[in-house]
Amino acid sequence: MEFRLLGAVSVATEAGVLPLGPAKRRSLLAALLLRPNHPVPVDQLTAALWDQEPPARSRGVIQGHVSRLRVLLAGAEADMYGVELVTQGTAYVLRMPESLLDAHRFEELVTLARGQRAPADAVAMYQEALSLWQGPALTGAYPSQSLQAAAQALEELRLASVESLAGAYGRMGEHARAAAVLRAEAGAHPLRESLSAALMRALQRAGRRTEALDWFHRTRRLLADELGVDPGRELADAYALALRGAEEAGEDESEEAGGSGNRNGSGLNGRRRHDAVDGSTVAAPPAAAAPAAVSATIDLLPRMPRGFHGRAGELTALSRAAAGEAPVCLVTGPAGVGKTALVTHWAHRNRDRFPGGLLYADLRGFSETGEPALLEVLREFLLALGVAPRRIPESAGAASALFRSLCAARQLLVVLDNARASEQVRELLPGGARCVTVVTSRYRLRGLIASDAARPVPVDVLEPEDSTALLAAVLGTERVLAEEVAARRLAELCGGLPLALRVAAARLADQPEAQLSAMCAELSDESRRLSLLDVEDTSVRAALRLTVRRLPADAARQFAHLGRHPGRYVDRYAAAALADTDPATAEAALDKLTAAHLVVRAGPDRWTLHDLVRLYAHDLDAGAEALPRVLDQMVATALAAADAAEPGDESCFALPADFRAPRATREFADRDQAMAWYEAERDDLTLAAAAADSAGLHGRTWRIILGMWPQIVWRVRDGWTPLLRTALEAARADGDPRAESRVLALLGWVLTEEGRVDEALVHLEAAPVLAARACDTRGEATALINLSLAQAALGSPDEAAEGCALAAELAHSVGDRHTERLALCHLARHRLDAREWQAAHETAVAALDLEGPAEASVAARVLLLTAIGEALLGMGDEREGIRRLENAALEAETCGYDDGAVRALGALLRVSADAGLQARYDTAMVRLMSRT
């Protein structure tokens, strides 16, 4: 749990940010957090919530907000963290560990940083402290005088920390980084002389004297215009330092930078004038500054985006990427994620960093109107830089060279928006060491990273809190707060995609009487969602269409087929099956789709699609055979996994006559790999079975579910009953009695393990009869074993033992040693229940020796070792019995077989009160029950 004042007033929990509600409640919480563990009188809280005369029922309002805060904290289990909101007389106290408060941690880190001797350690601590800030302090609270004063105090501490961070960089000799840290803050606080002075010193020491001098004059003018005062001593000293550095460099530097003075002291370089610093006469700034002053009027940026919200992390990442010498920043993300808005917002906010000008070009890489010619873009740039139309070269190469030469002495920003390919960008990169280029693209443009060391700044969908804030910016805070749950659901249905959120908000804004919950209900219909996210010339579907149109043919074909995948994740084998190709070709296409931000890599050989992208892909024509192909690939993979998990066991079903064998199937080296695949793919296999059932492919439905049997056996209490009922209905619809009997046997066993024995018996009694009719001897034997478990649970051990003995005979008659061993294993268990120790021991040993311990499955081996141990204890051989049970428990714990561990450890605890055994038993039981 974390309480936040450094940004929006909020409370973050593992489940998300608590919905604090209106500004007054946030103000109340802020006032309590500003004095944690101290009583805050009601009159102070009143002052925090109302600037003027409070309402007559102000105390009742405060009590209501306190009551609501208590409910929110209780729902978040705040007491587990030592947090409690209590009444103390006529005051309230928020009792809490102060380490949970971001402002407290910030102040602690700043104090620690100040005490560091090594500047690198100080830098690390200052950076960690400043990273806690998510925006202006106490955002969202009522702007009362007391809270504004507290916010200003926190802001002062933050700015002092920024100055200290820059100082630490300076002690490390990293003056350029110090300047980068200071520039943004100095621009945001232009009247704070200490920031401007620190920035000037950093620029001077980084060898950028002209910029330092320019910054002084800019600040001097602002102080005179806004406050009517002259610069103070600190700023004047920084100016004198910059002047001394400029004079030492000599007039040659001025001429190199484009100065036009002469060497005899006349002209601009030779002039002297009075600057209002301390009454002294100082030299005029060098002529090199003149072009920057002229070019500062160059501004081709689009207007500042409206309704921009959040993106603090991305803005910080962009600022970091823009630091250094001639950086190329590559802002990438999917269509509609807000790349242009982010860059435009950042550029406007940082315009003072670029006195040489701000250039912008829309390269229209994903536009209906086509891309502009290179010479067309260069011509616009050159005209902006003051080149006469007749002097602009006619060839793109010559124009590019002229552009680079003009940028060499400037400090400017070049924004290249909507680039499609790296080659579209390279000839537009400026030549100046102090220029910054920001490129936006839906593609990753790896070529630009390789050739020009472009620094990636990925942009992803918005977090839920920022998504709802974007909705509030369009619809109004009151409307969103009135339906907070619906607003979060709406953000979820839009997948956090800003374009989708803005379209949904535009529809709602046009209908003031409409409820957000009604829009949610409409968007929940996947068949209509993309159509609803379409207004005039703004559309999620149109944005995606333009991206897909630019894809190579193989990637476009693969993308269309991905829409037919029934699950959330796809690997190269499934992708290959969908597109009827091989895994290597499918992976190459997936890589291109990843570069285009149409799919997201979720792990090794694992990709996923954003929900809206998936819906768009589903609407593309991929052919009717894509779904059956991928279902058959899943069936084949499940069989391969079962074979690796339970080697030597027979296949639980035959392949259908119309089975489409995939070109390649995933291979599993051992049981661990197979079980890991089952665990990772369980949800997608469930979705695949549902898709097969909806499509009327009943034979695929029950095969996919039965193919999961090793995991069902391994995690029997994991809630498999609904899925197995689906398999049962599909087997009956498919008219396959053999499949029906096998599903009945498995379902009945699961129900028995869940304690629903009477319900299980109905299925288990029918299973062996159906298997016999289908001449499925192995299935009949398995059904009899499972039936015996239900009979034993109902108190009929003799009947259960008889069924297991018959099952062993049937399995032996067809050479199925795996099922024979399983039957003997359960027979031994029934004889243990009947206290027939010697017979139980002989049966378990015979089962264990049937195929040799090395070949037995882990589960069967653990159960047999446990049975042998229990039988030995019953026969009086306690030492050997304990040894066998300990071996069984260790093997089960090592393999993660919690059910087996519980059985073996439980048997040990019946003869030992060892605390270590009890702790192991409790651990295994907790894991087992957590999946029940």
Side-chain angles (χ1 to χ4, degrees):
M1 173 170 277
E2 181 183 40
F3 292 83
R4 297 173 180 169
L5 293 176
L6 307 182
V9 178
S10 59
V11 183
T13 69
E14 291 184 1
V17 178
L18 295 185
L20 294 178
K24 297 291 188 187
R25 192 173 302 144
R26 293 176 185 270
S27 305
L28 175 69
L29 177 60
L32 294 170
L33 288 173
L34 288 167
R35 298 194 62 200
N37 300 309
H38 288 80
V40 183
V42 169
D43 58 344
Q44 291 185 19
L45 294 175
T46 303
L49 270 64
W50 292 278
D51 261 340
Q52 300 176 349
E53 187 68 24
R57 296 184 61 256
S58 60
R59 185 178 294 270
V61 172
I62 290 174
Q63 290 172 343
H65 286 310
V66 167
S67 176
R68 180 57 183 160
L69 280 176
R70 283 174 173 157
V71 171
L72 288 170
L73 292 172
E77 299 181 335
D79 57 330
M80 293 176 57
Y81 300 90
V83 178
E84 185 181 14
L85 178 51
V86 298
T87 305
Q88 190 170 314
T90 59
Y92 295 100
V93 184
L94 186 57
R95 294 174 180 164
M96 60 181 291
E98 293 189 18
S99 60
L100 298 180
L101 180 60
D102 61 353
H104 175 79
R105 295 203 309 280
F106 171 72
E107 293 183 19
E108 275 193 335
L109 286 167
V110 168
T111 302
L112 289 171
R114 287 171 179 163
Q116 297 300 313
R117 293 186 177 181
D121 294 339
V123 164
M125 287 187 178
Y126 280 124
Q127 286 178 329
E128 185 177 353
L130 291 166
S131 71
L132 296 171
W133 285 76
Q134 304 295 317
L138 277 57
T139 297
Y142 177 73
S144 61
Q145 290 184 4
S146 60
L147 292 185
Q148 281 186 317
Q152 184 58 39
L154 288 168
E155 177 66 4
E156 285 293 325
L157 182 56
R158 186 186 73 83
L159 292 173
S161 303
V162 170
E163 293 176 14
S164 298
L165 170 60
Y169 273 131
R171 294 196 299 277
M172 295 171 64
E174 296 189 15
H175 302 297
R177 295 188 72 175
V181 166
L182 291 163
R183 184 182 288 276
E185 298 298 343
H189 302 82
L191 300 179
R192 187 180 177 93
E193 292 187 53
S194 59
L195 270 175
S196 292
L199 174 59
M200 288 176 62
R201 289 192 295 270
L203 290 169
Q204 157 68 20
R205 289 162 182 160
R208 293 151 65 179
R209 287 180 290 273
T210 300
E211 291 180 63
L213 292 168
D214 285 348
W215 196 269
F216 170 80
H217 291 301
R218 173 184 178 277
T219 307
R220 178 182 60 78
R221 286 193 299 271
L222 280 171
L223 289 170
D225 294 345
E226 298 292 331
L227 304 178
V229 300
D230 294 334
R233 171 62 60 184
E234 186 177 8
L235 196 57
D237 288 347
Y239 181 51
L241 175 67
L243 284 174
R244 284 198 301 274
E247 289 166 357
E248 291 166 6
E251 294 175 337
D252 289 341
E253 179 182 344
S254 294
E255 291 177 4
E256 270 184 22
S260 57
N262 54 44
R263 296 183 180 275
N264 63 8
S266 62
L268 183 57
N269 280 350
R271 287 206 319 265
R272 303 183 67 81
R273 62 177 182 137
H274 286 281
D275 272 325
V277 179
D278 56 3
S280 60
T281 302
V282 296
V294 173
S295 63
T297 59
I298 298 173
D299 188 351
L300 302 184
L301 288 177
R303 64 174 175 80
M304 188 81 159
R306 296 181 180 177
F308 185 87
H309 186 84
R311 297 297 193 195
E314 289 87 345
L315 289 168
T316 301
L318 185 52
S319 294
R320 288 174 180 166
E325 184 174 319
V328 178
C329 310
L330 180 56
V331 178
T332 63
V337 82
K339 301 179 291 297
T340 301
L342 170 73
V343 171
T344 306
H345 179 86
W346 178 86
H348 278 283
R349 201 170 75 169
N350 291 272
R351 61 172 52 252
D352 289 338
R353 291 179 55 182
F354 306 104
L358 304 107
L359 302 177
Y360 172 90
D362 184 356
L363 302 184
R364 303 199 300 270
F366 307 92
S367 170
E368 298 275 12
T369 58
E371 301 168 7
L374 173 60
L375 187 58
E376 179 185 338
V377 178
L378 286 167
R379 179 180 177 83
E380 186 174 352
F381 283 178
L382 292 172
L383 288 171
L385 292 170
V387 178
R390 66 179 181 279
R391 294 190 57 197
I392 296 176
E394 295 184 2
S395 73
S400 179
L402 177 59
F403 172 61
R404 288 192 297 273
S405 68
L406 290 174
C407 296
R410 295 175 183 268
Q411 184 172 353
L412 56 77
L413 172 67
V414 179
V415 177
L416 303 174
D417 202 10
N418 292 311
R420 175 187 53 81
S422 300
E423 61 268 20
Q424 200 184 10
V425 170
R426 291 193 182 99
E427 292 301 314
L428 295 171
L429 298 179
R434 295 182 296 159
C435 296
V436 174
T437 306
V438 180
V439 181
T440 77
S441 181
R442 299 180 189 182
Y443 290 172
R444 295 188 187 276
L445 301 190
R446 295 164 180 160
L448 197 63
I449 298 174
S451 65
D452 293 272
R455 303 171 184 181
V457 180
V459 183
D460 206 345
V461 295
L462 292 172
E463 294 295 326
E465 187 175 357
D466 286 335
S467 295
T468 52
L470 190 153
L471 291 172
V474 179
L475 301 175
T477 303
E478 291 185 4
R479 189 172 178 186
V480 170
L481 289 177
E483 292 187 81
E484 288 185 80
V485 174
R488 287 195 295 272
R489 175 58 179 157
L490 184 58
E492 179 184 332
L493 288 167
C494 291
L497 191 71
L499 175 61
L501 287 163
R502 290 183 183 279
V503 173
R507 284 188 173 276
L508 287 164
D510 195 40
Q511 307 171 56
E513 74 288 348
Q515 292 190 326
L516 274 65
S517 56
M519 174 65 80
C520 290
E522 291 185 85
L523 289 175
S524 295
D525 182 354
E526 291 191 349
S527 65
R528 299 180 58 209
R529 191 178 304 170
L530 286 177
S531 297
L532 291 168
L533 296 176
D534 185 351
V535 291
E536 292 190 1
D537 59 346
T538 304
S539 164
V540 173
R541 182 186 278 120
L544 290 170
R545 182 176 64 250
L546 293 171
T547 304
V548 173
R549 181 182 296 175
R550 292 292 189 180
L551 290 172
D554 60 330
R557 181 174 181 275
Q558 182 68 71
F559 178 72
H561 284 87
L562 290 178
R564 299 297 169 181
H565 191 264
R568 305 290 300 178
Y569 297 93
V570 64
D571 61 17
R572 59 197 181 106
Y573 297 97
L578 283 163
D580 195 19
T581 185
D582 59 88
T585 301
E587 186 169 10
L590 287 168
D591 189 56
K592 294 173 185 175
L593 294 173
T594 302
H597 289 94
L598 287 168
V599 302
V600 178
R601 186 180 284 274
D605 194 20
R606 195 167 172 84
W607 290 265
T608 188
L609 285 75
H610 186 282
D611 284 347
L612 297 178
V613 177
R614 180 180 289 106
L615 291 176
Y616 179 78
H618 187 270
D619 288 346
L620 300 176
D621 184 13
E625 295 303 308
L627 178 62
R629 281 197 303 265
V630 76
L631 293 175
D632 284 344
Q633 185 270 338
M634 289 181 166
V635 169
T637 309
L639 286 176
D643 188 53
E646 300 292 341
D649 191 19
E650 63 141 353
S651 176
C652 57
F653 54 77
L655 295 171
D658 60 345
F659 178 76
R660 301 163 182 80
R663 298 193 189 185
T665 302
R666 179 184 292 276
E667 296 179 354
F668 301 94
D670 51 30
R671 174 183 172 80
D672 288 344
Q673 278 192 11
M675 297 308 292
W677 180 83
Y678 277 123
E679 188 70 26
E681 299 298 325
R682 174 177 173 176
D683 290 343
D684 272 8
L685 288 169
T686 302
L687 289 170
D693 206 44
S694 296
L697 302 171
H698 304 299
R700 270 66 175 182
T701 304
W702 65 259
R703 282 182 173 87
I704 288 172
I705 297 171
L706 266 190
M708 300 166 69
W709 75 265
Q711 189 187 26
I712 296 174
V713 170
W714 196 249
R715 304 289 190 213
V716 64
R717 294 182 178 87
D718 244 7
W720 299 101
T721 300
L723 190 62
L724 288 169
R725 291 194 190 283
T726 299
L728 181 59
E729 293 173 5
R732 287 170 175 166
D734 199 33
D736 191 326
R738 184 179 186 276
E740 184 180 351
S741 71
R742 297 229 168 183
V743 176
L744 283 169
L746 188 55
L747 174 57
W749 176 63
V750 169
L751 289 169
T752 302
E753 291 293 317
E754 290 178 352
R756 300 155 66 179
V757 184
D758 291 333
E759 189 178 350
L761 202 61
V762 175
H763 300 303
L764 291 169
E765 287 177 341
V769 176
L770 271 173
R773 287 179 190 166
C775 300
D776 181 11
T777 304
R778 290 183 175 89
E780 184 181 358
T782 301
L784 286 169
I785 294 169
N786 293 353
L787 174 59
S788 75
L789 295 174
Q791 292 168 335
L794 291 172
S796 303
D798 294 338
E799 192 176 6
E802 183 181 341
C804 279
L806 176 57
E809 291 176 13
L810 288 170
H812 185 78
S813 70
V814 292
D816 183 0
R817 304 183 77 181
H818 181 277
T819 305
E820 183 182 359
R821 185 181 69 246
L822 183 62
L824 292 174
C825 177
H826 287 289
L827 179 58
R829 171 57 53 192
H830 297 320
R831 287 175 173 168
L832 284 172
D833 292 341
R835 305 177 69 82
E836 298 173 3
W837 311 120
Q838 186 67 40
H841 181 268
E842 291 173 357
T843 302
V845 169
L848 193 61
D849 292 341
L850 193 60
E851 291 185 346
E855 298 177 13
S857 71
V858 176
R861 176 176 167 78
V862 167
L863 294 176
L864 287 169
L865 287 173
T866 302
I868 291 172
E870 290 183 76
L872 289 168
L873 290 178
M875 294 162 63
D877 191 348
E878 186 170 303
R879 180 176 179 180
E880 182 63 15
I882 290 174
R883 187 182 73 81
R884 292 297 188 110
L885 288 169
E886 180 63 34
N887 288 343
L890 285 173
E891 190 163 344
E893 289 170 318
T894 302
C895 298
Y897 182 31
D898 298 323
D899 199 352
V902 166
R903 293 193 185 196
L905 291 168
L908 281 169
L909 285 171
R910 288 194 287 271
V911 295
S912 171
D914 182 76
L917 282 176
Q918 185 65 54
R920 289 164 62 190
Y921 176 85
D922 291 342
T923 299
M925 181 60 78
V926 167
R927 284 200 302 264
L928 187 64
M929 296 305 294
S930 69
R931 295 191 302 273
T932 302

